[in-house]
Amino acid sequence: MLTSLYIEGHTLFHRLSVRVKLACLLVLSLLLFAVSSLWLLVPAFALSTGLYATTGLSLREGFSRVGFVFFTILFLGVVNLFLLPPLEVLVVVIRLMTLVLFAATVTATTTIDAFMDEITVLLMPLERIGLVRAADVSLALGLVLRFVPEIFARYQAIREAHRARGLPLRPLTIIGPLIILTLKDADMIAMAIDARGFRRH
Amino acid sequence: MTTRDIVLIALFAAIIVVLGLIPPVTLGFIPVPITAQSMGVMLAGCIIGAKRGALAYVLVILMVAIGLPVLAGGRGGLSVLVGPTGGFIFGWVIATYVTGLIAERAVREGQSELRQFGGFFLASVFGGIVVLYAIGMPWVSVVTGTPFLTVASGSMVFIPGDLVKAAIATLAARAVLVGYPLLPHRA
């Protein structure tokens, strides 16, 4: 149900470390907003598109992943055409698309494991001052992945219950029971975690 | 932070993910279909309170960032965060926190039903609409160069739908408060 957006492969981008990729993304976003010459933006866009195309995504999947964000960018671009000089609009559209394609490339070439390792490193300073514990973050993430299918099954059961009674599906009559049924388990899950000594200090 | 708080944060984040899997519902009088996930901010703030609600959204954004398709319509990944509407996504954390702060102060057990409804509705509208748009709209304007007033007037299309969501979240939050109160025991 929650399959990662990672695509298996052995390209240069797959082999780069997450830290380098995230640093590139950060630097690229700063550079892109500093530059407004099409002579630089168009090659950058071509490069981003090229990188994204070599991740091993099928054409259809590649389009569908960035499609929604591209739609918003183009929609705002069309609105901008009535308000700003056309050249400026083109600069904005290309800049944003370049950034989005690069970000999508990072996502497609990085595993969840690698991301989590990096997050643990990034959390270290916060952990040292006692603000957050990296182990708690991974525990919470694990719980979410574990419970999404279960909560979805609960939603389906509630939907069937509506059908059996001939009731229309309304957000209100779904959300209330779904939340109460789910959160009622919290105490048991917390007890089970404590019983296993996961969070010993 | 107790283990129970962590579990509540994780379960609510999971609920937010599942709300994104539910097909959008069209209400007769509003043209835009309602995605259940977009009610998450109001629900999280009103049901598990400011701190836990905001942390549930930090967890959701973390999942988006590491490449899990947890947003409505199976969207996710860093591309969503760097897009023009990224401000609305990052804004969820603060919006939930504000919703929770108001709900924690305005709603108590043993109040009259009407006052509880009023408190939740106020919290949902202020946190889930006013605060969220106050972060999301300037972001769109800065990133795309569209004048702020144009973005603001364009966003007005979504306000009626958002008010309906606030009303639904209010009713749901009060149902949970009666069935399984969590808000009074703050994290």
Side-chain angles (χ1 to χ4, degrees), chain A:
Chain A
M1 181 168 297
L2 279 183
T3 35
S4 152
L5 295 171
Y6 170 73
I7 300 290
E8 206 148 352
H10 300 283
T11 64
L12 172 72
F13 246 67
H14 280 90
R15 280 172 285 147
L16 277 179
S17 83
V18 205
R19 196 169 311 168
V20 174
K21 281 185 269 192
L22 290 176
C24 284
L25 181 62
L26 190 69
V27 171
L28 182 74
S29 61
L30 294 175
L31 283 178
L32 282 172
F33 278 94
V35 169
S36 47
S37 146
L38 280 177
W39 292 107
L40 291 166
L41 284 172
V42 172
F45 176 71
L47 191 71
S48 248
T49 314
L51 279 174
Y52 188 55
T54 53
T55 50
L57 279 165
S58 67
L59 202 63
R60 200 172 147 199
E61 175 70 15
F63 269 115
S64 84
R65 282 190 184 191
V66 291
F68 179 81
V69 186
F70 272 21
F71 173 78
T72 16
I73 294 173
L74 289 174
F75 176 78
L76 288 162
V78 170
V79 173
N80 275 346
L81 276 180
F82 294 97
L83 304 156
L84 303 172
L87 197 69
E88 207 172 307
V89 178
L90 191 66
V91 165
V92 168
V93 167
I94 291 183
R95 174 190 291 151
L96 289 174
M97 283 184 165
T98 308
L99 189 59
V100 165
L101 284 170
F102 190 83
T105 309
V106 175
T107 298
T109 56
T110 313
T111 60
I112 290 183
D113 284 356
F115 269 124
M116 282 313 289
D117 287 345
E118 193 55 32
I119 285 165
T120 312
V121 175
L122 289 174
L123 284 176
M124 248 190 240
L126 294 178
E127 189 159 346
R128 222 166 279 144
I129 57 169
L131 209 62
V132 71
R133 292 169 59 203
D136 285 349
V137 177
S138 3
L139 172 67
L141 195 68
L143 284 172
V144 178
L145 297 178
R146 160 73 181 75
F147 281 100
V148 163
E150 201 164 306
I151 298 171
F152 188 69
R154 220 166 261 154
Y155 156 71
Q156 287 172 318
I158 295 170
R159 193 181 58 190
E160 290 309 308
H162 277 72
R163 289 218 177 111
R165 289 166 181 76
L167 295 173
L169 277 174
R170 293 228 169 82
L172 182 61
T173 52
I174 297 169
I175 291 173
L178 189 67
I179 292 177
I180 294 180
L181 284 172
T182 304
L183 297 186
K184 266 192 168 162
D185 287 343
D187 290 306
M188 293 293 259
I189 300 165
M191 266 192 275
I193 291 168
D194 283 337
R196 288 183 188 182
F198 269 148
R199 299 188 74 231
R200 247 186 314 238
H201 293 277

Side-chain angles (χ1 to χ4, degrees), chain A residues 147 150-151 154 175-190, chain B residues 4-16 43-44 46-49 52 56 172-173 176-177 179-183:
Chain A
F147 281 100
E150 201 164 306
I151 298 171
R154 220 166 261 154
I175 291 173
L178 189 67
I179 292 177
I180 294 180
L181 284 172
T182 304
L183 297 186
K184 266 192 168 162
D185 287 343
D187 290 306
M188 293 293 259
I189 300 165
Chain B
R4 186 167 180 270
D5 287 330
I6 293 178
V7 172
L8 283 174
I9 291 164
L11 286 181
F12 218 95
I15 290 173
I16 294 165
L43 291 169
C46 288
I47 291 171
I48 55 173
R52 290 179 295 202
V176 178
L177 187 74
Y180 189 66
L182 291 160
L183 189 66

